[in-house]
Amino acid sequence: MTDSFGTRLRRAMDERGPLCVGIDPHASLLTEWGLNDDVAGLERFSRTVVEALADRVAVFKPQAAFFERFGSRGVAVLEKTVEEARAGGALVVMDAKRGDIGSTMAAYAEAFLRKDSPLFSDALTVSPYLGYGSLSPAIALARESGAGLFVLALTSNPEGREVQHAVRADGRNVGATMLAHLAAENTGEEPLGSFGAVVGATLGDLSSYDLDINGPLLAPGIGAQGATPADLPAVFGGVLRNVLPNVSRGVLRHGPDVGALRESAERFAEEIKAAVALV
């Protein structure tokens, strides 16, 4: 793997369409699929999603917590899910939202961004709210491994506002500060930087923010959280081509039927393409 994450992601989005499908094995979804809420159900769920979509979607985003709740056996399923997803041609963004300092942050990074780790992923979600500088070990290892990061910047949950919209002494709020840090990380990178931001698709007009970070914008909130692909131009404007919309339950609820999963993912992908074409 010689290309950077940003290069691989740009290629995948251009060839397969800009869609990220979450792999979120909620207990309720396992039940809807007729599966038990146990490791066997977890494995069947994850394998079905990968088999249905790995050869056609740009990105999978497994939510680590739904695997970790089963302990070591659940983590083993996550390892296999990552391996099979990447073997099938999809990129993997591990949604683990890790954030710490010093050697602990370095250890989190090694778990997901070291090339010989069984959980090695193309990118990792991280939290910068111990200070952006606390992410330095993950940034360094991502560069070394050709991986990427998605940093929580402007998230879709209402509680995030009390931190992300807090105003600093220089008059800029915290979310905007994170975007500025990422723009600096991506300076000069082509065709796309490897250090992205998480920006909710449910947030409405963000024209007061500079979202042009020369990197990808992971946009959760489409489907179950209420946003639609048609909302994307109003939120992201001129940077829409760099947006990676995430859909989880909106696709997953159509399982376990493989054909229905594919049809749902294809429908979202086409709607997103149409929205991007408007800008």
Side-chain angles (χ1 to χ4, degrees):
M1 185 178 67
T2 56
D3 290 337
S4 68
F5 170 66
T7 298
R8 299 196 309 278
L9 180 61
R10 176 81 279 155
R11 183 167 56 240
M13 291 170 68
D14 289 347
E15 292 177 356
R16 295 187 171 198
L19 176 64
C20 172
V21 174
I23 305 180
D24 295 5
H26 296 262
S28 59
L29 269 175
L30 295 179
T31 299
E32 286 180 29
W33 279 37
L35 301 172
N36 292 328
D37 185 21
D38 57 19
V39 173
L42 176 74
E43 184 172 20
R44 174 69 181 278
F45 180 96
S46 302
R47 178 160 290 171
T48 300
V49 175
V50 170
E51 288 178 353
L53 302 176
D55 65 343
R56 60 196 65 210
V57 300
V59 179
F60 279 127
K61 184 174 71 63
Q63 171 47 258
F66 292 117
F67 295 82
E68 292 169 344
R69 69 192 182 100
F70 292 104
S72 61
R73 294 173 65 201
V75 173
V77 174
L78 181 57
E79 292 174 0
K80 192 67 174 175
T81 299
V82 171
E83 177 187 354
E84 292 178 350
R86 299 186 76 232
L91 301 181
V92 172
V93 173
M94 182 62 68
D95 193 359
K97 298 184 179 71
R98 297 303 196 245
D100 215 303
I101 61 171
S103 59
T104 307
M105 187 70 240
Y108 280 140
E110 288 173 8
F112 299 104
L113 301 173
R114 196 185 69 235
K115 284 186 176 180
D116 61 353
S117 169
L119 285 169
F120 176 71
S121 303
D122 294 279
L124 171 69
T125 61
V126 291
S127 173
Y129 295 110
L130 289 172
Y132 184 84
S134 67
L135 301 179
S136 294
I139 292 169
L141 187 54
R143 290 191 186 279
E144 179 184 326
S145 301
L149 298 177
F150 282 100
V151 177
L152 302 179
L154 297 167
T155 57
S156 56
N157 62 307
E159 302 89 343
R161 295 179 62 87
E162 68 183 53
V163 175
Q164 297 157 19
H165 292 227
V167 178
R168 294 160 26 111
D170 63 4
R172 185 166 59 182
N173 71 25
V174 174
T177 300
M178 298 308 160
L179 293 169
H181 281 303
L182 291 166
E185 298 289 355
N186 292 322
T187 299
E189 295 294 327
E190 295 181 357
L192 190 66
S194 297
F195 298 94
V198 178
V199 178
T202 57
L203 296 178
D205 182 8
L206 293 177
S207 58
S208 61
Y209 289 90
D210 186 0
L211 298 177
D212 188 4
I213 62 170
N214 191 35
L217 301 169
L218 180 62
I222 293 177
Q225 293 186 48
T228 70
D231 296 323
L232 294 171
V235 180
F236 295 99
V239 297
L240 187 54
R241 185 169 179 265
N242 295 337
V243 173
L244 180 64
N246 171 240
V247 182
S248 295
R249 281 170 287 179
V251 171
L252 300 177
R253 64 184 180 85
H254 294 282
D257 183 272
V258 168
L261 287 168
R262 289 174 175 168
E263 288 176 10
S264 178
E266 288 169 3
R267 183 170 61 254
F268 274 111
E270 289 303 317
E271 291 176 4
I272 291 166
K273 287 181 185 178
V276 171
L278 296 175
V279 175

PDB file of all heavy atoms in Angstrom, residues 254-273:
ATOM      1  N   HIS A 254     -32.617  -3.150   6.088  1.00  0.00           N
ATOM      2  CA  HIS A 254     -33.151  -3.949   4.985  1.00  0.00           C
ATOM      3  C   HIS A 254     -32.613  -5.376   4.989  1.00  0.00           C
ATOM      4  O   HIS A 254     -33.009  -6.182   4.148  1.00  0.00           O
ATOM      5  CB  HIS A 254     -32.842  -3.268   3.651  1.00  0.00           C
ATOM      6  CG  HIS A 254     -33.548  -1.971   3.473  1.00  0.00           C
ATOM      7  ND1 HIS A 254     -34.871  -1.881   3.117  1.00  0.00           N
ATOM      8  CD2 HIS A 254     -33.116  -0.688   3.634  1.00  0.00           C
ATOM      9  CE1 HIS A 254     -35.230  -0.615   3.048  1.00  0.00           C
ATOM     10  NE2 HIS A 254     -34.178   0.139   3.363  1.00  0.00           N
ATOM     11  N   GLY A 255     -31.689  -5.696   5.897  1.00  0.00           N
ATOM     12  CA  GLY A 255     -31.178  -7.067   5.985  1.00  0.00           C
ATOM     13  C   GLY A 255     -32.150  -7.970   6.701  1.00  0.00           C
ATOM     14  O   GLY A 255     -33.158  -7.522   7.254  1.00  0.00           O
ATOM     15  N   PRO A 256     -31.878  -9.258   6.682  1.00  0.00           N
ATOM     16  CA  PRO A 256     -30.668  -9.901   6.179  1.00  0.00           C
ATOM     17  C   PRO A 256     -30.690 -10.225   4.690  1.00  0.00           C
ATOM     18  O   PRO A 256     -29.779 -10.888   4.197  1.00  0.00           O
ATOM     19  CB  PRO A 256     -30.611 -11.191   7.004  1.00  0.00           C
ATOM     20  CG  PRO A 256     -32.054 -11.541   7.236  1.00  0.00           C
ATOM     21  CD  PRO A 256     -32.755 -10.225   7.391  1.00  0.00           C
ATOM     22  N   ASP A 257     -31.685  -9.765   3.964  1.00  0.00           N
ATOM     23  CA  ASP A 257     -31.761 -10.060   2.538  1.00  0.00           C
ATOM     24  C   ASP A 257     -30.654  -9.299   1.791  1.00  0.00           C
ATOM     25  O   ASP A 257     -30.625  -8.071   1.804  1.00  0.00           O
ATOM     26  CB  ASP A 257     -33.132  -9.637   2.004  1.00  0.00           C
ATOM     27  CG  ASP A 257     -33.305  -9.976   0.539  1.00  0.00           C
ATOM     28  OD1 ASP A 257     -32.934  -9.147  -0.306  1.00  0.00           O
ATOM     29  OD2 ASP A 257     -33.799 -11.079   0.250  1.00  0.00           O
ATOM     30  N   VAL A 258     -29.753 -10.042   1.161  1.00  0.00           N
ATOM     31  CA  VAL A 258     -28.607  -9.443   0.489  1.00  0.00           C
ATOM     32  C   VAL A 258     -29.055  -8.513  -0.631  1.00  0.00           C
ATOM     33  O   VAL A 258     -28.535  -7.408  -0.791  1.00  0.00           O
ATOM     34  CB  VAL A 258     -27.665 -10.543  -0.046  1.00  0.00           C
ATOM     35  CG1 VAL A 258     -26.633  -9.961  -1.007  1.00  0.00           C
ATOM     36  CG2 VAL A 258     -26.966 -11.246   1.115  1.00  0.00           C
ATOM     37  N   GLY A 259     -30.027  -8.949  -1.394  1.00  0.00           N
ATOM     38  CA  GLY A 259     -30.526  -8.119  -2.485  1.00  0.00           C
ATOM     39  C   GLY A 259     -31.098  -6.812  -1.996  1.00  0.00           C
ATOM     40  O   GLY A 259     -30.881  -5.751  -2.605  1.00  0.00           O
ATOM     41  N   ALA A 260     -31.826  -6.854  -0.890  1.00  0.00           N
ATOM     42  CA  ALA A 260     -32.423  -5.639  -0.344  1.00  0.00           C
ATOM     43  C   ALA A 260     -31.355  -4.692   0.197  1.00  0.00           C
ATOM     44  O   ALA A 260     -31.465  -3.464   0.061  1.00  0.00           O
ATOM     45  CB  ALA A 260     -33.427  -5.996   0.752  1.00  0.00           C
ATOM     46  N   LEU A 261     -30.311  -5.239   0.813  1.00  0.00           N
ATOM     47  CA  LEU A 261     -29.203  -4.408   1.276  1.00  0.00           C
ATOM     48  C   LEU A 261     -28.541  -3.691   0.102  1.00  0.00           C
ATOM     49  O   LEU A 261     -28.250  -2.495   0.156  1.00  0.00           O
ATOM     50  CB  LEU A 261     -28.168  -5.262   2.010  1.00  0.00           C
ATOM     51  CG  LEU A 261     -28.544  -5.768   3.403  1.00  0.00           C
ATOM     52  CD1 LEU A 261     -27.557  -6.826   3.871  1.00  0.00           C
ATOM     53  CD2 LEU A 261     -28.575  -4.615   4.412  1.00  0.00           C
ATOM     54  N   ARG A 262     -28.315  -4.439  -0.973  1.00  0.00           N
ATOM     55  CA  ARG A 262     -27.684  -3.845  -2.156  1.00  0.00           C
ATOM     56  C   ARG A 262     -28.556  -2.773  -2.774  1.00  0.00           C
ATOM     57  O   ARG A 262     -28.073  -1.696  -3.150  1.00  0.00           O
ATOM     58  CB  ARG A 262     -27.371  -4.949  -3.176  1.00  0.00           C
ATOM     59  CG  ARG A 262     -26.233  -5.856  -2.745  1.00  0.00           C
ATOM     60  CD  ARG A 262     -26.036  -7.018  -3.699  1.00  0.00           C
ATOM     61  NE  ARG A 262     -24.866  -7.794  -3.317  1.00  0.00           N
ATOM     62  CZ  ARG A 262     -24.570  -8.988  -3.821  1.00  0.00           C
ATOM     63  NH1 ARG A 262     -25.380  -9.543  -4.736  1.00  0.00           N
ATOM     64  NH2 ARG A 262     -23.479  -9.623  -3.429  1.00  0.00           N
ATOM     65  N   GLU A 263     -29.842  -3.043  -2.884  1.00  0.00           N
ATOM     66  CA  GLU A 263     -30.755  -2.067  -3.470  1.00  0.00           C
ATOM     67  C   GLU A 263     -30.795  -0.786  -2.651  1.00  0.00           C
ATOM     68  O   GLU A 263     -30.796   0.324  -3.204  1.00  0.00           O
ATOM     69  CB  GLU A 263     -32.157  -2.662  -3.581  1.00  0.00           C
ATOM     70  CG  GLU A 263     -32.296  -3.721  -4.663  1.00  0.00           C
ATOM     71  CD  GLU A 263     -33.670  -4.350  -4.670  1.00  0.00           C
ATOM     72  OE1 GLU A 263     -34.575  -3.834  -3.963  1.00  0.00           O
ATOM     73  OE2 GLU A 263     -33.860  -5.356  -5.376  1.00  0.00           O
ATOM     74  N   SER A 264     -30.818  -0.922  -1.336  1.00  0.00           N
ATOM     75  CA  SER A 264     -30.871   0.260  -0.483  1.00  0.00           C
ATOM     76  C   SER A 264     -29.586   1.081  -0.614  1.00  0.00           C
ATOM     77  O   SER A 264     -29.629   2.310  -0.747  1.00  0.00           O
ATOM     78  CB  SER A 264     -31.072  -0.155   0.974  1.00  0.00           C
ATOM     79  OG  SER A 264     -31.084   0.967   1.819  1.00  0.00           O
ATOM     80  N   ALA A 265     -28.429   0.402  -0.576  1.00  0.00           N
ATOM     81  CA  ALA A 265     -27.156   1.114  -0.714  1.00  0.00           C
ATOM     82  C   ALA A 265     -27.060   1.794  -2.072  1.00  0.00           C
ATOM     83  O   ALA A 265     -26.598   2.952  -2.168  1.00  0.00           O
ATOM     84  CB  ALA A 265     -25.990   0.148  -0.522  1.00  0.00           C
ATOM     85  N   GLU A 266     -27.487   1.121  -3.118  1.00  0.00           N
ATOM     86  CA  GLU A 266     -27.438   1.710  -4.457  1.00  0.00           C
ATOM     87  C   GLU A 266     -28.358   2.923  -4.556  1.00  0.00           C
ATOM     88  O   GLU A 266     -28.008   3.925  -5.199  1.00  0.00           O
ATOM     89  CB  GLU A 266     -27.819   0.658  -5.496  1.00  0.00           C
ATOM     90  CG  GLU A 266     -26.741  -0.401  -5.692  1.00  0.00           C
ATOM     91  CD  GLU A 266     -27.200  -1.586  -6.514  1.00  0.00           C
ATOM     92  OE1 GLU A 266     -28.365  -1.567  -6.998  1.00  0.00           O
ATOM     93  OE2 GLU A 266     -26.424  -2.547  -6.665  1.00  0.00           O
ATOM     94  N   ARG A 267     -29.507   2.856  -3.908  1.00  0.00           N
ATOM     95  CA  ARG A 267     -30.443   3.985  -3.945  1.00  0.00           C
ATOM     96  C   ARG A 267     -29.836   5.207  -3.248  1.00  0.00           C
ATOM     97  O   ARG A 267     -29.889   6.326  -3.787  1.00  0.00           O
ATOM     98  CB  ARG A 267     -31.762   3.588  -3.285  1.00  0.00           C
ATOM     99  CG  ARG A 267     -32.820   4.688  -3.357  1.00  0.00           C
ATOM    100  CD  ARG A 267     -34.173   4.178  -2.909  1.00  0.00           C
ATOM    101  NE  ARG A 267     -34.180   3.719  -1.525  1.00  0.00           N
ATOM    102  CZ  ARG A 267     -34.210   2.437  -1.159  1.00  0.00           C
ATOM    103  NH1 ARG A 267     -34.239   1.492  -2.067  1.00  0.00           N
ATOM    104  NH2 ARG A 267     -34.214   2.100   0.117  1.00  0.00           N
ATOM    105  N   PHE A 268     -29.238   4.988  -2.069  1.00  0.00           N
ATOM    106  CA  PHE A 268     -28.597   6.109  -1.379  1.00  0.00           C
ATOM    107  C   PHE A 268     -27.439   6.660  -2.211  1.00  0.00           C
ATOM    108  O   PHE A 268     -27.257   7.881  -2.312  1.00  0.00           O
ATOM    109  CB  PHE A 268     -28.091   5.677  -0.003  1.00  0.00           C
ATOM    110  CG  PHE A 268     -29.124   5.760   1.084  1.00  0.00           C
ATOM    111  CD1 PHE A 268     -29.637   4.610   1.659  1.00  0.00           C
ATOM    112  CD2 PHE A 268     -29.579   6.984   1.538  1.00  0.00           C
ATOM    113  CE1 PHE A 268     -30.606   4.674   2.660  1.00  0.00           C
ATOM    114  CE2 PHE A 268     -30.536   7.070   2.547  1.00  0.00           C
ATOM    115  CZ  PHE A 268     -31.047   5.910   3.105  1.00  0.00           C
ATOM    116  N   ALA A 269     -26.656   5.768  -2.806  1.00  0.00           N
ATOM    117  CA  ALA A 269     -25.513   6.218  -3.608  1.00  0.00           C
ATOM    118  C   ALA A 269     -25.974   7.076  -4.777  1.00  0.00           C
ATOM    119  O   ALA A 269     -25.360   8.119  -5.080  1.00  0.00           O
ATOM    120  CB  ALA A 269     -24.718   5.013  -4.106  1.00  0.00           C
ATOM    121  N   GLU A 270     -27.044   6.675  -5.437  1.00  0.00           N
ATOM    122  CA  GLU A 270     -27.549   7.451  -6.572  1.00  0.00           C
ATOM    123  C   GLU A 270     -28.102   8.797  -6.120  1.00  0.00           C
ATOM    124  O   GLU A 270     -27.902   9.821  -6.786  1.00  0.00           O
ATOM    125  CB  GLU A 270     -28.629   6.649  -7.313  1.00  0.00           C
ATOM    126  CG  GLU A 270     -28.090   5.471  -8.094  1.00  0.00           C
ATOM    127  CD  GLU A 270     -27.035   5.877  -9.117  1.00  0.00           C
ATOM    128  OE1 GLU A 270     -27.242   6.903  -9.821  1.00  0.00           O
ATOM    129  OE2 GLU A 270     -25.994   5.201  -9.197  1.00  0.00           O
ATOM    130  N   GLU A 271     -28.787   8.820  -4.992  1.00  0.00           N
ATOM    131  CA  GLU A 271     -29.317  10.077  -4.479  1.00  0.00           C
ATOM    132  C   GLU A 271     -28.190  11.038  -4.087  1.00  0.00           C
ATOM    133  O   GLU A 271     -28.287  12.254  -4.296  1.00  0.00           O
ATOM    134  CB  GLU A 271     -30.235   9.816  -3.279  1.00  0.00           C
ATOM    135  CG  GLU A 271     -31.541   9.122  -3.662  1.00  0.00           C
ATOM    136  CD  GLU A 271     -32.385   8.787  -2.441  1.00  0.00           C
ATOM    137  OE1 GLU A 271     -31.991   9.154  -1.318  1.00  0.00           O
ATOM    138  OE2 GLU A 271     -33.460   8.162  -2.621  1.00  0.00           O
ATOM    139  N   ILE A 272     -27.111  10.488  -3.535  1.00  0.00           N
ATOM    140  CA  ILE A 272     -25.968  11.325  -3.155  1.00  0.00           C
ATOM    141  C   ILE A 272     -25.272  11.867  -4.398  1.00  0.00           C
ATOM    142  O   ILE A 272     -24.911  13.041  -4.463  1.00  0.00           O
ATOM    143  CB  ILE A 272     -24.985  10.520  -2.278  1.00  0.00           C
ATOM    144  CG1 ILE A 272     -25.639  10.238  -0.903  1.00  0.00           C
ATOM    145  CG2 ILE A 272     -23.679  11.277  -2.096  1.00  0.00           C
ATOM    146  CD1 ILE A 272     -24.911   9.180  -0.097  1.00  0.00           C
ATOM    147  N   LYS A 273     -25.076  11.007  -5.413  1.00  0.00           N
ATOM    148  CA  LYS A 273     -24.497  11.469  -6.675  1.00  0.00           C
ATOM    149  C   LYS A 273     -25.312  12.612  -7.275  1.00  0.00           C
ATOM    150  O   LYS A 273     -24.761  13.584  -7.785  1.00  0.00           O
ATOM    151  CB  LYS A 273     -24.400  10.313  -7.664  1.00  0.00           C
ATOM    152  CG  LYS A 273     -23.312   9.304  -7.368  1.00  0.00           C
ATOM    153  CD  LYS A 273     -23.316   8.214  -8.436  1.00  0.00           C
ATOM    154  CE  LYS A 273     -22.343   7.106  -8.131  1.00  0.00           C
ATOM    155  NZ  LYS A 273     -22.395   6.022  -9.149  1.00  0.00           N
TER     156      LYS A 273
END
